[in-house]
């Protein structure tokens, strides 16, 4: 039985993940207390006290009422009530009905107040740095806090509540994958509930169980979920089987700002020219490598498969408990993904896709007429490359999958590992990890004549085709919030290392959190971020399984590379003939 991965429980978010905004709020809270206690003539500043309380509630997902706001002011009731009305009249506070009668309201900071606060926060840091000195901040951070500030740096503001709460019976129901990014979303549930104005119920499954549940849900008369997370290779299957509805049928796609999404991630959510999902996390598989180990050995970061093998051989030292490289080699789905991505490293997709500038064309897959391309010269090169990797891999490599390959890398017993960016928190947020602060990020090194590729993984969020019509408007609004730049930035600030939008990866605060975002952004601009290595045809899950079985026999020594290629090709051909 597959267990749901509860990353957040085993790996608490580090102190570095706390936002600069909350730090400044906390500082002003303490400073006000000290000032009022030390100088008896200093009276509480009701406006400031209420602003701090309101912002704390917004950023921490706590409901703020008129009573709690008045209580936070520390002035008499009548005075606080006047100050609160002044703030409402100035457009600093927004009121949202909590009941159908409209007699009870929750209080929220307006967009104006949020923007003013972010600018003030930057100015206060600049003043403190200028007056008291201290450690200088990275230039990119200075540009945000001390320069032309908020608008010029295009820093993304915090999430703000919807003008009207979503009205949907039982709240918004979401089906997701049990990975670190979606677990961050679950940890922030109270804040998102405040933003959309209704409860959120989230179910998380392992990847195979998620697909099974999504397919099972499609057979029901009415969907149990308003939004479901979909692995990118499933898009074709889920579109053909009407698991998902085309989004343009129920919303204006321009609201999502499609141009802001990484191109590969946005296109991967399409089938037959129609969008079936919105990128929730775009997480390419990269090569993680220990920069300190490479420097000690006098090695350059590997750009080719030949360089990679040399580095793996040089750094492989079983006597010291260290292996050269880890990768997905467990039988079935895990190894199948590795096969497809290794084929891409040698310049060949798993299907006969037409070559275009920057890669291969996937726009016409819905028309059919494709066949598998496994038993080829490039396929043989890929198979022999995997066989050689075995020599520099951990003893249990043939049972390693998604998490098993990254955990030992984080523990220091692996010099390199192929891994999705969503797994980087295992070492980026753990200061005790030998890989903490010592990891470099590269696209897959390329084989002879091929170009580096960072195969895109991750999930889109879609609307089930059998969702009750009266729930669709609320589902669309929630989907828009969950995939917005503001939400994406919030995920990053709380531990996620995935991102789907250019605006988020260029945000100064985001870039200061991890080098991974700037690295991935560069790969996207260089056309290295590609989703063609796992083309989303309806048969792709079965093709992945076939490759994972036949190549596992090869790695175990049961079959030669040529036999494995021949068997996988024959099975894939039979599968495609059956379905087309």
């Amino acid at each position: 039985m597959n267990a749901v991965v509860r990353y957040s429980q085993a790996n608490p978010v580090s102190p570095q993940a706390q936002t600069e905004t909350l730090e400044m709020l906390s500082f002003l809270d303490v400073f006000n207390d000290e000032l009022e206690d030390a100088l008896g003539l200093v009276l509480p500043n009701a406006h400031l006290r209420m602003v701090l309380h309101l912002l704390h509630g917004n950023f921490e997902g706590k409901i703020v009422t008129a009573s709690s706001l008045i209580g936070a002011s520390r002035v008499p009731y009548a005075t606080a009530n006047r100050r609160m009305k002044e703030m409402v009249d100035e457009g600093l506070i927004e009121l949202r009905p909590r009941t159908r009668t409209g007699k009870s309201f929750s209080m929220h900071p307006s967009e104006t107040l949020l923007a003013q606060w972010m600018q003030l926060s930057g100015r206060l840091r600049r003043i403190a740095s200028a007056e008291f000195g201290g450690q200088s901040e990275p230039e990119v951070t200075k540009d945000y806090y001390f320069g032309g500030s908020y608008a010029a740096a295009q820093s993304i503001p915090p999430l703000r509540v919807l003008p009207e709460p979503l009205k949907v019976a039982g709240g918004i129901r979401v089906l997701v994958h049990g990975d670190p990014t979606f677990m961050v979303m679950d940890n922030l549930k109270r804040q998102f509930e405040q933003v959309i104005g209704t409860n959120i119920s989230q179910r998380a499954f392992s990847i195979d169980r998620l697909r099974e549940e999504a397919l099972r849900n499609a057979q029901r008369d009415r969907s149990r979920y308003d939004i479901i997370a979909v692995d990118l290779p499933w898009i074709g299957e889920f579109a053909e089987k009407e698991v998902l509805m085309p989004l343009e049928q129920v919303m204006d796609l321009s609201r999502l700002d499609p141009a802001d999404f990484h191109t590969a991630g946005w296109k991967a959510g399409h089938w037959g020219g129609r969008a079936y999902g919105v990128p929730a996390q775009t997480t390419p598989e990269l090569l993680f490598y220990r920069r300190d180990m490479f420097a000690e050995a006098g090695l350059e970061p590997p750009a080719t498969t030949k360089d990679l093998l040399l580095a793996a051989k040089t750094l492989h030292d079983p006597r010291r408990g260290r292996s050269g490289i880890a990768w997905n080699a467990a039988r079935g789905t895990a190894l199948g993904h590795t096969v497809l991505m290794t084929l891409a490293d040698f310049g060949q997709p798993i299907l006969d896709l037409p070559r275009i500038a920057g890669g291969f064309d996937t726009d016409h897959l819905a028309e059919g007429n494709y066949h598998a391309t496994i038993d080829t010269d490039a396929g043989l090169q890929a198979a022999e490359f995997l066989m050689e990797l075995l020599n520099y891999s951990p003893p249990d490599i043939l049972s390693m999958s998604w998490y098993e390959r990254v955990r030992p890398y984080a523990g220091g017993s692996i010099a390199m590992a192929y891994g999705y960016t969503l797994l980087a928190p295992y070492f980026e947020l753990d200061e005790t990890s030998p890989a903490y602060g010592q990891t470099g990020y590269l696209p897959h090194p390329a084989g002879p004549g091929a170009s580096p590729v960072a195969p895109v993984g991750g999930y889109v969020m879609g609307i089930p085709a059998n969702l009750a019509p009266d729930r669709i408007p609320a589902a669309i609004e929630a989907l828009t919030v969950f995939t917005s730049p503001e939400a994406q930035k919030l995920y990053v600030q709380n531990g996620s290392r995935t991102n789907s939008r250019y605006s988020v990866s260029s945000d100064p605060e985001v870039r200061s959190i991890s080098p991974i975002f700037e690295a991935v952004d560069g790969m996207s601009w260089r056309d290295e971020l590609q989703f063609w290595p796992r083309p989303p045809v309806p048969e792709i899950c079965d093709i992945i399984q076939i490759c994972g079985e036949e190549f596992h026999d090869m790695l175990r020594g049961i079959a030669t590379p040529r036999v494995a290629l021949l068997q996988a090709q024959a099975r894939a051909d039979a599968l495609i003939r059956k379905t087309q």
Side-chain angles (χ1 to χ4, degrees):
M1 180 177 179
N2 293 321
V4 174
V5 179
R6 294 290 179 184
Y7 172 85
S8 58
Q9 296 174 7
N11 299 271
V13 175
S14 73
Q16 287 84 354
Q18 298 301 316
T19 66
E20 301 288 348
T21 294
L22 286 173
E23 288 179 351
M24 184 58 69
L25 286 172
S26 298
F27 167 75
L28 288 177
D29 273 334
V30 174
F31 180 77
N32 275 340
D33 289 341
E34 292 293 333
L35 192 62
E36 292 167 13
D37 290 344
L39 302 172
L41 293 177
V42 176
L43 299 177
N45 185 324
H47 286 133
L48 180 58
R49 288 284 186 183
M50 287 193 285
V51 164
L52 295 178
H53 183 71
L54 199 64
L55 291 169
H56 267 301
N58 180 75
F59 295 133
E60 295 174 353
K62 298 177 181 178
I63 294 176
V64 176
T65 63
S67 297
S68 68
L69 199 59
I70 288 172
S73 71
R74 300 191 184 180
V75 298
Y77 182 89
T79 302
N81 203 28
R82 287 196 302 273
R83 299 293 179 265
M84 183 172 65
K85 185 176 184 302
E86 290 168 0
M87 294 172 69
V88 172
D89 292 341
E90 285 294 315
L92 301 178
I93 297 179
E94 293 182 357
L95 308 180
R96 191 168 74 185
R98 297 181 64 195
T99 61
R100 292 183 179 179
T101 63
K103 295 181 180 180
S104 176
F105 296 88
S106 57
M107 321 289 282
H108 307 274
S110 68
E111 187 171 2
T112 299
L113 176 56
L114 287 170
Q116 290 176 351
W117 164 254
M118 296 300 290
Q119 292 179 15
L120 174 63
S121 175
R123 290 197 298 272
L124 290 176
R125 287 180 177 275
R126 172 178 55 81
I127 293 169
S129 178
E131 294 296 329
F132 300 110
Q135 185 177 0
S136 61
E137 299 188 49
E139 287 300 317
V140 70
T141 308
K142 289 181 182 178
D143 288 343
Y144 167 58
Y145 285 120
F146 309 151
S149 89
Y150 194 68
Q154 298 184 340
S155 184
I156 296 167
L159 271 170
R160 62 188 299 262
V161 297
L162 297 178
E164 295 291 333
L166 299 184
K167 296 178 174 61
V168 58
I172 293 294
R173 304 168 303 199
V174 189
L175 176 66
V176 300
H177 181 228
D179 63 43
T181 295
F182 284 123
M183 292 303 98
V184 166
M185 181 178 170
D186 191 49
N187 292 340
L188 296 169
K189 187 174 76 165
R190 288 184 61 190
Q191 186 162 341
F192 279 104
E193 287 176 341
Q194 182 178 358
V195 169
I196 68 175
T198 190
N199 295 333
I200 299 172
S201 301
Q202 179 169 302
R203 296 188 73 191
F205 290 107
S206 63
I207 185 168
D208 291 330
R209 290 186 61 202
L210 173 62
R211 177 170 173 267
E212 292 169 4
E213 175 60 16
L215 291 171
R216 188 181 303 115
N217 182 68
Q219 301 304 313
R220 299 176 177 126
D221 291 335
R222 284 288 180 260
S223 173
R224 290 183 181 175
Y225 310 100
D226 300 296
I227 299 170
I228 59 175
V230 180
D231 195 14
L232 296 184
W234 306 343
I235 289 294
E237 178 187 15
F238 280 20
E240 294 290 336
K241 292 182 178 178
E242 297 185 347
V243 176
L244 300 172
M245 65 174 61
L247 291 177
E248 69 268 18
Q249 287 185 355
V250 291
M251 71 176 298
D252 177 7
L253 291 179
S254 65
R255 288 184 59 196
L256 301 169
D257 191 8
D260 188 37
F261 290 99
H262 286 294
T263 304
W266 175 252
K267 289 185 66 177
H270 286 64
W271 181 253
R274 310 181 80 179
Y276 285 87
V278 183
Q281 49 171 282
T282 299
T283 174
E285 183 178 87
L286 307 180
L287 180 69
F288 304 154
Y289 71 99
R290 286 284 298 276
R291 291 186 287 110
D292 53 339
M293 290 186 184
F294 270 68
E296 183 181 349
L299 293 168
E300 293 293 324
T304 68
T305 51
K306 182 179 179 181
D307 296 339
L308 178 69
L309 290 171
L310 174 61
K313 180 179 180 180
T314 302
L315 298 172
H316 188 66
D317 192 351
R319 290 175 298 179
R320 296 173 57 190
R322 187 172 76 192
S323 298
I325 189 166
W327 40 291
N328 264 8
R331 187 178 183 85
T333 302
L335 177 57
H337 280 87
T338 292
V339 172
L340 269 62
M341 293 178 183
T342 307
L343 281 172
D345 297 344
F346 286 87
Q348 180 184 295
I350 190 71
L351 302 176
D352 60 328
L353 304 177
R355 186 180 290 276
I356 58 174
F360 294 86
D361 184 18
T362 59
D363 290 345
H364 304 288
L365 288 173
E367 301 170 8
N369 299 318
Y370 47 78
H371 67 267
T373 49
I374 302 173
D375 189 10
T376 63
D377 291 341
L380 182 59
Q381 288 180 296
E384 291 175 340
F385 171 74
L386 292 178
M387 290 293 290
E388 193 163 354
L389 274 189
L390 273 182
N391 298 325
Y392 317 119
S393 300
D396 57 343
I397 187 64
L398 294 183
S399 62
M400 280 190 170
S401 58
W402 322 103
Y403 298 93
E404 288 81 5
R405 59 180 170 168
V406 173
R407 287 191 183 113
Y409 175 81
S413 62
I414 307 290
M416 296 181 289
Y418 286 111
Y420 285 114
T421 60
L422 70 85
L423 299 177
Y426 276 105
F427 49 86
E428 280 208 350
L429 298 182
D430 182 3
E431 295 183 20
T432 67
S433 168
Y436 177 82
Q438 295 291 346
T439 296
Y441 302 103
L442 295 171
H444 280 221
S451 300
V453 173
V456 169
Y459 290 82
V460 296
M461 283 184 156
I463 307 297
N466 57 341
L467 183 62
D470 62 322
R471 301 185 67 89
I472 292 176
I476 291 298
E477 292 303 318
L479 175 64
T480 303
V481 169
F482 297 157
T483 59
S484 67
E486 295 83 0
Q488 295 274 325
K489 179 177 177 178
L490 190 61
Y491 302 149
V492 171
Q493 289 175 315
N494 285 271
S496 170
R497 291 298 180 266
T498 71
N499 165 52
S500 302
R501 292 180 175 267
Y502 289 113
S503 61
V504 176
S505 56
S506 64
D507 183 285
E509 287 181 287
V510 169
R511 289 205 176 204
S512 70
I513 289 173
S514 169
I516 207 166
F517 299 109
E518 185 173 1
V520 171
D521 210 25
M523 293 174 203
S524 182
W525 289 113
R526 293 192 299 270
D527 269 345
E528 293 169 350
L529 225 61
Q530 299 285 346
F531 76 95
W532 59 259
R534 296 187 305 164
V537 295
E539 303 91 347
I540 195 63
C541 290
D542 290 329
I543 292 173
I544 289 171
Q545 183 69 25
I546 288 169
C547 290
E549 292 171 356
E550 297 298 337
F551 278 69
H552 200 265
D553 287 347
M554 176 194 76
L555 294 173
R556 291 170 57 205
I558 296 175
T560 65
R562 290 191 179 278
V563 169
L565 291 167
L566 184 65
Q567 290 283 94
Q569 180 73 52
R571 292 178 63 186
D573 286 343
L575 171 69
I576 293 173
R577 283 196 301 270
K578 181 179 178 181
T579 55
Q580 287 189 352

